[in-house]
């Protein structure tokens, strides 16, 4: 049958079509395909798919261009068809010009025409190709007669052509397979069939369609042993490929493989974003020299390897350095086959070098600061402030800041927090550190002598006075620092004279008429609220504002419990050095000390550490000895509670005593773990019972917040 008998006139759709009109045109003739024109080119569209879309959208007018999902169809002259056979076989439909008219045919039409014809010399090579394909091919009509077959089919079936012609194809391959394809008009693939001569083949059954009607069957046969060998080889290659992909995915460097012509054949998942516009594994098959996405350094490495036929290393320029190394792979004949290019981003190395240099400079800065602190410590005659808490760190920053100036400083804090140590440190860090630092406790000197101590007196000023007179502390502290401790205890009468002295920077000695000038840095300290005393009329308001130039508040030890451990170890170290001992605290002992409020602050902590060091009989100061000392200190602090002497049921009395002991332990230790250890019960028992009595317990107003631990 000639190919011309299969040609059809095409239906070409405009940009906007009438839905009902196109339906009528498709129903009048056999048109498996319609064509859509766009930008001067024609695109094939399956007519059944088009009708389904028209029904789904239910529109009066429709633009078919939106359904295009394929490439444009190239128009071929029918007389030149033999030169484009491969193009015809690669697409479902072909447009041809025949007798100056545009017509089309389907791929199966072409195959039927070629296999059924034995006289068309122009297409003899196609029949030769059909015969030489290394798979069995067979065309069967609807009467199950063999229309055509190749030699490979005869070899697999172990039959001659006459034998095959006299064989029932239905019985040979099974009628159910043909019936299934005929009923579904869909291919039936990968059917394993054992033939009568013990041969086993893998068969694909494909329907042959023409004008939307089935005209026969195409059978593709494969020898099962060869299929199994191919499958095993394919599995081996697949496993090898998976191993290779796993290796490439774990390598830190970027790996790309190109062939001798520069075509990218493999790439690792990891890549350097700076030298690719798109991931390289998405560019497989592209030439890297023609691909704008590839980095310049990779292209240069490939060109150099291709030219030199040896390993090449190049460094990429720019802010982020990249090292690329190209390794050639040769065939057995010494020809270049592949180039493996490994790239490493050196920006991280540069970043590490910069961070190392930054760390080195920071270390140098720390060294200079330590040396400066060591020099400063040498000038400090008193004790060094030991701390670890953020609160004390803020205080020390204020101390360092104000020490550079001669502004009057008012240090406020509870008794024993170390106000005198802070004052000593301010003087030692200031420019006046080589001059006198005079301390006076305003509460320790009788009122009658306080004026003469501060301002001095002339000879004969009062009975019992030194015949030579005496310089006051203001004059003795000239060019230095005067520390007025407990300034809140100054008598009101003397406060006025102190105010004048601070304002005028001069004093009149007792019994004198000539003022004496002085230049001192005044530091005052108090453990009371001066504003409260001002409100009570016990402290002059003008004097308060004169000395409250730069206030520094030293927090109590209970508010900076982080300092308790370091201070305790510091005082124990001093004790060890003095008495040549080697004592140390256990971690549990430090936790117990940190749970105590220390109403006497640092001074009380220092005394307790000395007491613990003396009382302890071993090298480790542990919980038992600390419990005794701390509980004794807590008992001395609080008042004894009267016992209930009324007779009550024993169970009620025991419950009351138990609650009192739990409340006392929690007040003292502020920790369920430490309280449980002191009471000799489990932590969960203390936590549960204390939660039941918590609302009934009134804790001290200075008690630190309760610290609940999770049960271990």
């Amino acid at each position: 049958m000639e190919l011309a008998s299969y040609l059809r006139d095409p239906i070409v759709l405009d940009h906007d079509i009438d839905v009902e009109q196109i339906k009528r045109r498709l129903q009048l003739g056999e048109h498996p395909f319609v064509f859509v024109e766009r930008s001067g080119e024609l695109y094939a569209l399956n007519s059944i798919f088009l009708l389904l879309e028209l029904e789904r959208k239910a529109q009066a007018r429709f633009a078919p261009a939106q359904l295009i999902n394929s490439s444009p169809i190239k128009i071929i002259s029918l007389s030149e068809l033999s030169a484009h056979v491969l193009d015809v076989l690669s697409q479902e439909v072909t447009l041809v010009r025949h007798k100056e008219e545009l017509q089309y045919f389907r791929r199966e039409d072409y195959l039927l025409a070629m296999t059924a014809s034995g006289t068309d010399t122009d297409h003899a090579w196609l029949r030769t190709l059909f015969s030489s394909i290394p798979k069995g091919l067979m065309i069967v009509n609807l009467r199950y007669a063999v229309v055509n077959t190749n030699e490979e089919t005869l070899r697999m079936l172990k039959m001659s052509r006459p034998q095959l012609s006299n064989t029932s194809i239905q019985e040979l391959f099974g009628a159910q397979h043909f019936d299934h394809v005929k009923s579904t008009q869909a291919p039936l693939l990968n059917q394993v069939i054992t033939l009568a001569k013990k041969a086993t083949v893998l068969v694909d059954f494909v329907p042959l369609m023409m004008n939307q009607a089935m005209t026969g069957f195409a059978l593709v046969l494969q020898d099962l042993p060869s299929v199994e060998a191919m499958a095993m080889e394919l599995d081996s290659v697949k496993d090898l490929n998976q191993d290779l992909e796993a290796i490439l995915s774990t390598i830190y460097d970027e790996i790309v493989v190109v062939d001798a012509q520069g075509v990218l054949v493999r790439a690792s998942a990891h890549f350097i974003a700076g030298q690719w516009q798109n991931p390289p594994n998405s560019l497989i098959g592209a030439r890297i020299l023609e691909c704008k996405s590839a980095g310049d350094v990779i292209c240069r490495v490939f060109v150099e390897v291709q030219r030199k036929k040896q390993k090449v290393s190049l460094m990429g320029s720019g802010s982020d350095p990249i090292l690329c190394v190209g390794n050639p792979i040769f065939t057995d004949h010494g020809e270049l086959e592949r180039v493996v290019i490994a790239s490493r981003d050196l920006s991280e190395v540069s970043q590490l070098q910069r961070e190392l240099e930054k760390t080195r400079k920071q270390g140098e800065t720390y060294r200079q600061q330590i040396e400066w602190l060591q020099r400063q410590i040498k000038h400090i005659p008193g004790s060094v402030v030991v701390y670890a808490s953020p609160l004390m760190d803020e205080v020390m920053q204020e101390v360092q800041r104000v020490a550079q100036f001669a502004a009057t400083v008012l240090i406020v804090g509870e008794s024993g927090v170390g106000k005198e140590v802070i004052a000593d440190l301010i003087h030692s860090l200031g420019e006046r550190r080589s001059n006198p630092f005079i301390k006076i406790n305003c509460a320790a000197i009788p009122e009658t002598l306080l004026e003469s101590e501060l301002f001095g007196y002339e000879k004969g000023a009062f009975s019992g006075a030194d015949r030579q007179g005496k310089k006051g502390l203001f004059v003795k502290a000239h060019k230095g620092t005067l520390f007025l401790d407990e300034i809140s205890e100054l008598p009101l009468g003397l406060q006025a004279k102190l105010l004048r002295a601070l304002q005028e920077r001069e004093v009149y000695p007792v019994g004198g008429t000539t003022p004496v000038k002085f230049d001192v840095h005044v530091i005052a300290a108090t453990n009371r609220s001066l504003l409260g005393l001002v409100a009570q009329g016990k402290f002059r308001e003008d004097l308060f504002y004169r000395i409250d130039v730069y206030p520094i508040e030293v927090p109590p030890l209970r508010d900076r419990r982080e300092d308790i451990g370091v201070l305790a170890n510091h005082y124990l170290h001093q004790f060890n050095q003095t008495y040549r001992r080697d004592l140390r605290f256990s971690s549990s002992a430090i936790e117990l000390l940190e749970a105590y409020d220390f109403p006497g602050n640092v001074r009380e902590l220092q005394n307790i550490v000395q007491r613990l060091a003396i009382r302890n009989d071993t090298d480790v100061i542990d919980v038992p000895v600390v419990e005794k000392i701390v509980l004794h200190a807590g008992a001395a602090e609080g008042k004894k509670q009267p016992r209930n002497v009324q007779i009550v049921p024993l169970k009620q009395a025991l419950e009351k005593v138990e609650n009192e002991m739990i409340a006392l332990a929690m007040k003292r230790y502020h920790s369920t773990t430490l309280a449980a250890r002191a009471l000799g019960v489990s932590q969960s028992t203390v936590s549960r019972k204390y939660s039941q009595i918590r609302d009934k317990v009134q804790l001290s107003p200075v008690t630190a917040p309760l610290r609940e631990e999770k049960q271990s």
Side-chain angles (χ1 to χ4, degrees):
M1 183 179 293
E2 295 292 339
L3 179 62
S5 62
Y6 292 97
L7 296 180
R8 298 177 175 85
D9 295 328
I11 297 178
V12 180
L13 306 179
D14 298 330
H15 297 289
D16 188 18
I17 63 173
D18 183 275
V19 173
E20 294 300 327
Q21 180 182 359
I22 192 62
K23 286 182 180 180
R24 288 193 298 270
R25 292 184 63 184
L26 290 176
Q27 291 171 357
L28 290 175
E30 185 68 26
H31 294 283
F33 289 92
V34 295
F35 298 88
V36 179
E37 183 179 1
R38 187 174 68 181
S39 302
E41 294 183 305
L42 294 177
Y43 297 81
L45 196 62
N46 188 285
S47 59
I48 296 178
F49 174 69
L50 174 62
L51 289 173
L52 291 176
E53 285 296 314
L54 294 178
E55 292 293 336
R56 186 175 65 86
K57 294 184 179 298
Q59 298 176 355
R61 304 197 65 81
F62 182 70
Q66 60 184 301
L67 300 179
I68 295 175
N69 58 1
S70 61
S71 302
I73 303 298
K74 181 180 179 180
I75 301 174
I76 303 172
S77 173
L78 186 62
S79 60
E80 300 175 356
L81 196 60
S82 60
H84 300 277
V85 172
L86 294 181
D87 293 332
V88 172
L89 294 176
S90 66
Q91 54 192 13
E92 290 186 294
V93 62
T94 300
L95 283 169
V96 294
R97 288 199 179 276
H98 179 53
K99 297 180 181 180
E100 297 184 357
E101 292 184 1
L102 185 63
Q103 294 179 304
Y104 76 95
F105 61 85
R106 299 173 305 164
R107 177 169 48 200
E108 50 264 40
D109 299 334
Y110 183 74
L111 288 173
L112 286 173
M114 294 303 101
T115 55
S117 175
T119 58
D120 190 353
T121 57
D122 290 338
H123 302 291
W125 71 271
L126 181 61
R127 292 190 294 275
T128 302
L129 178 65
F130 182 80
S131 300
S132 61
I133 289 177
K135 290 185 179 181
L137 299 178
M138 182 185 299
I139 305 299
V140 179
N141 60 24
L142 294 178
R143 295 186 299 275
Y144 306 107
V146 177
V147 177
N148 205 338
T149 187
N150 61 356
E151 294 298 328
E152 185 67 15
T153 302
L154 299 175
R155 186 193 67 79
M156 291 182 188
L157 299 180
K158 300 178 182 180
M159 293 183 179
S160 62
R161 289 186 183 274
Q163 289 176 327
L164 182 61
S165 300
N166 298 324
T167 301
S168 173
I169 299 301
Q170 284 180 294
E171 295 180 359
L172 182 64
F173 293 108
Q176 69 274 16
H177 300 113
F178 293 98
D179 294 340
H180 176 81
V181 173
K182 185 182 292 186
S183 61
T184 61
Q185 295 190 1
L188 182 62
L189 307 178
N190 300 325
Q191 301 301 305
V192 179
I193 298 176
T194 302
L195 304 176
K197 296 184 178 183
K198 304 300 182 180
T200 304
V201 292
L202 189 70
V203 184
D204 293 340
F205 297 83
V206 181
L208 297 178
M209 308 295 294
M210 185 174 67
N211 299 331
Q212 297 185 1
M214 185 171 173
T215 59
F217 306 89
L219 275 62
V220 180
L221 288 73
Q222 298 183 69
D223 196 1
L224 197 57
S226 63
V227 172
E228 291 176 350
M230 291 172 57
M232 292 178 62
E233 184 178 356
L234 182 61
D235 289 340
S236 177
V237 173
K238 185 177 180 181
D239 292 340
L240 183 63
N241 187 65
Q242 288 178 346
D243 294 341
L244 181 59
E245 291 295 337
I247 293 172
L248 290 178
S249 64
T250 57
I251 294 178
Y252 173 77
D253 295 342
E254 170 193 293
I255 306 293
V256 296
V257 182
V258 296
D259 64 13
Q261 287 73 40
V263 177
L264 187 63
V265 296
R266 187 178 293 274
S268 61
H270 170 73
F271 67 96
I272 302 173
Q275 62 177 359
W276 296 93
Q277 295 180 6
N278 298 309
N281 53 14
S282 67
L283 302 173
I284 302 299
R287 293 180 180 271
I288 61 172
L289 296 180
E290 300 173 0
C291 180
K292 296 181 180 180
S293 179
D296 176 66
V297 64
I298 287 185
C299 296
R300 288 192 289 118
V301 166
F302 170 73
V303 171
E304 289 298 310
V305 172
Q306 195 179 43
R307 182 174 65 86
K308 297 180 179 180
K309 303 293 191 297
Q310 64 183 21
K311 179 180 177 180
V312 174
S313 299
L314 292 178
M315 179 73 74
S317 59
S319 58
D320 296 329
I322 298 173
L323 175 64
C324 286
V325 180
N327 287 282
I329 298 176
F330 300 98
T331 64
D332 295 337
H333 303 289
E335 297 178 354
L336 183 65
E337 183 178 22
R338 294 281 191 273
V339 178
V340 180
I341 303 175
S343 304
R344 173 168 294 186
D345 187 357
L346 300 182
S347 59
E348 293 186 6
V349 178
S350 301
Q351 177 66 22
L352 289 175
Q353 290 177 340
R354 289 193 293 268
E355 290 181 358
L356 181 61
E357 180 65 19
K358 181 180 178 181
T359 303
R360 190 192 64 79
K361 292 181 179 179
Q362 194 174 42
E364 179 65 20
T365 302
Y366 289 156
R367 186 187 64 80
Q368 295 175 358
Q369 290 177 350
I370 291 173
E371 291 178 352
W372 179 84
L373 289 174
Q374 289 175 340
R375 291 194 300 269
Q376 296 297 321
I377 289 174
K378 291 180 180 179
H379 297 295
I380 299 177
S383 302
V384 178
V385 179
V386 178
Y387 64 94
S389 63
L391 288 177
M392 278 306 296
D393 186 62
E394 294 178 3
V395 171
M396 294 306 298
Q397 291 181 21
E398 296 297 325
V399 167
Q400 293 180 12
R401 186 177 294 111
V402 76
Q404 310 305 315
F405 307 94
T408 303
V409 179
L410 177 61
I411 304 175
V412 181
E414 294 180 4
S415 178
V417 295
K419 297 186 290 296
E420 184 175 335
V421 176
I422 298 297
D424 196 348
L425 187 61
I426 293 174
H427 170 73
S428 301
L429 294 176
E431 297 180 354
R432 299 171 182 261
R433 57 179 171 268
S434 58
N435 295 317
F437 178 56
I438 306 298
K439 308 174 186 178
I440 181 171
N441 191 319
C442 300
I445 301 177
E447 181 179 349
T448 54
L449 298 178
L450 189 55
E451 181 179 359
S452 60
E453 287 293 326
L454 287 174
F455 306 136
Y457 58 86
E458 297 288 345
K459 60 182 179 179
F462 50 87
S463 58
D466 193 307
R467 292 182 179 182
Q468 301 298 324
K470 181 180 180 181
K471 291 182 179 180
L473 296 179
F474 273 98
V475 178
K476 287 182 179 180
H478 183 61
K479 296 297 183 180
T481 303
L482 178 62
F483 177 50
L484 301 174
D485 197 8
E486 304 295 346
I487 194 172
S488 58
E489 305 304 320
L490 276 178
L492 279 173
L494 194 57
Q495 290 179 21
K497 294 182 179 181
L498 177 61
L499 174 63
R500 184 188 179 281
L502 295 177
Q503 289 177 337
E504 304 298 333
R505 294 289 168 173
E506 62 180 19
V507 295
Y508 283 90
V510 177
T513 58
T514 304
V516 180
K517 296 290 185 179
F518 64 86
D519 177 17
V520 297
H521 181 200
V522 177
I523 301 176
T526 180
N527 60 357
R528 302 175 65 183
S529 173
L530 293 184
L531 280 176
L533 295 176
V534 169
Q536 298 173 20
K538 296 180 180 180
F539 199 85
R540 292 181 62 98
E541 184 177 10
D542 47 5
L543 177 59
F544 168 73
Y545 288 115
R546 172 59 60 183
I547 64 176
D548 190 37
V549 176
Y550 199 91
I552 295 178
E553 182 177 358
V554 184
L557 197 54
R558 63 179 174 274
D559 290 343
R560 47 187 178 101
R561 296 180 185 272
E562 303 96 325
D563 294 339
I564 293 176
V566 293
L567 284 170
N569 284 304
H570 171 69
Y571 292 134
L572 186 62
H573 176 70
Q574 289 182 340
F575 183 89
N576 288 335
Q577 286 188 325
T578 302
Y579 299 102
R580 297 180 182 179
R581 299 288 298 276
D582 191 22
L583 300 175
R584 59 185 177 86
F585 285 107
S586 68
S587 59
S588 299
I590 292 296
E591 290 180 2
L592 192 55
L593 287 174
E594 290 176 345
Y596 181 54
D597 282 344
F598 288 101
N601 292 295
V602 180
R603 186 181 298 116
E604 182 184 6
L605 173 61
Q606 185 177 12
N607 295 339
I608 286 180
V609 169
Q610 291 185 2
R611 198 178 311 156
L612 289 170
I614 295 171
R615 291 281 297 272
N616 197 66
D617 296 327
T618 63
D619 290 340
V620 179
I621 302 176
D622 211 344
V623 171
V625 65
V626 176
E627 284 180 339
K628 293 179 182 179
I629 300 298
V630 172
L631 285 175
H632 182 270
E637 172 200 351
K639 295 181 180 180
K640 294 183 178 180
Q641 297 294 330
R643 291 288 182 183
N644 186 358
V645 297
Q646 296 180 353
I647 298 177
V648 295
L650 184 58
K651 182 178 180 181
Q652 182 179 345
L654 289 174
E655 182 179 356
K656 182 177 180 181
V657 172
E658 183 183 71
N659 292 343
E660 288 179 357
M661 293 302 295
I662 292 175
L664 179 62
M666 289 303 300
K667 178 181 178 182
R668 190 60 46 218
Y669 299 113
H670 311 288
S671 164
T672 55
T673 300
L674 296 177
R677 186 180 300 166
L679 295 172
V681 296
S682 66
Q683 185 264 351
S684 59
T685 300
V686 173
S687 178
R688 174 173 49 80
K689 290 184 177 292
Y690 184 68
S691 63
Q692 296 172 356
I693 65 172
R694 190 197 310 257
D695 296 337
K696 302 177 183 179
V697 177
Q698 292 184 352
L699 297 180
S700 169
V702 296
T703 299
L706 175 63
R707 296 181 296 174
E708 294 286 354
E709 291 86 12
K710 292 182 179 179
Q711 296 183 18
S712 57

